Amino acid sequence: MFKYAMTQWIVGNEDMEVSFQRLKDNGYDAIEFAADPYNLDVDRCLALMNKYEMKCYSLCGMFNEERDLTASGKNADTAVQYLKDSVDFACKVGAKIIIVVPSPVGRTVPPEGMSMELLYENAVNNVRKAADYAEKNGIKLAIEAINRYETFFMNTLTKAYKFVKDVDHPVVGIMADTFHMSIEENSFVKAIYMIKDKLIHVHIADNTREPCGLGTTDFKEIMYALYDINYSGICAMEFMYRLANPYSSLDMNTQGKLMDTYAKQAIDYIRMIERSVEQSL
C-alpha cells in the first residue's frame, strides 16, 4: 500500500502539535511541511516528528509574487534563494521532495510587456539553478501544474511534462494534484500514463477541493493507474475549505473539528479504495 501524508499549511495558524496528534490518531504515515525555512522552527519540527513517530517525505513550496520563477532580476533571485533555503530545511527534516510552482499563485494574467516565451525561458533557467543546488543535497523538485483560475502559466500536466523535459535535469520531476486535474485534464488516467516516467509525487483532494469521497472524482481509476505504472512515491492529502485564494488558509483560525473530520474522511476513503483495487489485481 502507498504511504499517506497530510500537508500542514492547510490548517492555518493551528499549533503544530495539534496537527501531529490528528495525523497520529488517524493513522497517517507522514506530515508534509510547508517549505517555510524562515518561520518554521526546525528543532520543534524534529521533536514532534520523534514524539509522534511521523516522517516528513516532502515540502510544499509557497510561491507568491516575491518568489517568481518566471521573472528575471530580484524576484527571480528571491525565488531561487528560497528554494535553496528550502533544500537546506528539507535536509534537516529528512524530506526528499520539494513541490515547485513556477509562477506566483494568484496571478492569472501574464505581466504586462513580457512574452510567454520569455517567461517560459526564465522559468526553465531559474528551476535549473535551484535544481543544481538540490541535486548536491539529494533533493528532488516536483513541478506542479495548477488550474487556470490560480495561475496563467502552467495549467495542465501536458505543459508540466514539456516544461520538465525542457529543464532536462535529473532531479526535476512532476507532481500530479487530483484537484487541479479535475479542472484541467480530460482524463485522469491518460494524464497519469503520459507523465509516468516523471511522476514523483501526488496530492489528493476531490473536485470540490474537499477530502476524497466528498465529490465526484473517480479515485478508483486513479489508484488503478498508479498501481499499473508502479508508482512508488508518497500520496499527500491537500484538502481545504472552499476558498477563492488557497493561500488565505495560511492566516485562518483553523476549524479544528472540521479538520479532524476531513482528515479521517480522506484517509479512510482512500485506503478503502486502495484495498478494493489491490483485491481486484
Side-chain angles (χ1 to χ4, degrees), residues 118-129:
L118 178 58
L119 294 168
Y120 189 89
E121 181 182 348
N122 287 342
V124 167
N125 291 334
N126 289 325
V127 168
R128 278 185 189 146
K129 291 177 186 176

Side-chain angles (χ1 to χ4, degrees), residues 19 28 31 33 47 54 59-60 70 83 85 88 100 105 116 125 129 135 161 163 186 201 215 220 256 260 264:
S19 302
Y28 283 81
I31 188 167
F33 291 124
M54 196 74 55
L59 304 180
C60 189
T70 69
L83 279 173
D85 293 339
D88 294 341
V100 176
V105 176
M116 286 297 292
N125 291 334
K129 291 177 186 176
E135 184 177 26
Y161 189 74
F163 181 82
N186 294 325
H201 197 54
K220 182 170 281 190
D260 291 343
K264 179 174 175 53

Side-chain angles (χ1 to χ4, degrees), residues 66-81:
E66 287 71 41
R67 299 169 183 167
D68 182 2
L69 291 162
T70 69
S72 57
K74 181 180 179 181
N75 285 4
D77 292 342
T78 298
V80 172
Q81 187 59 52

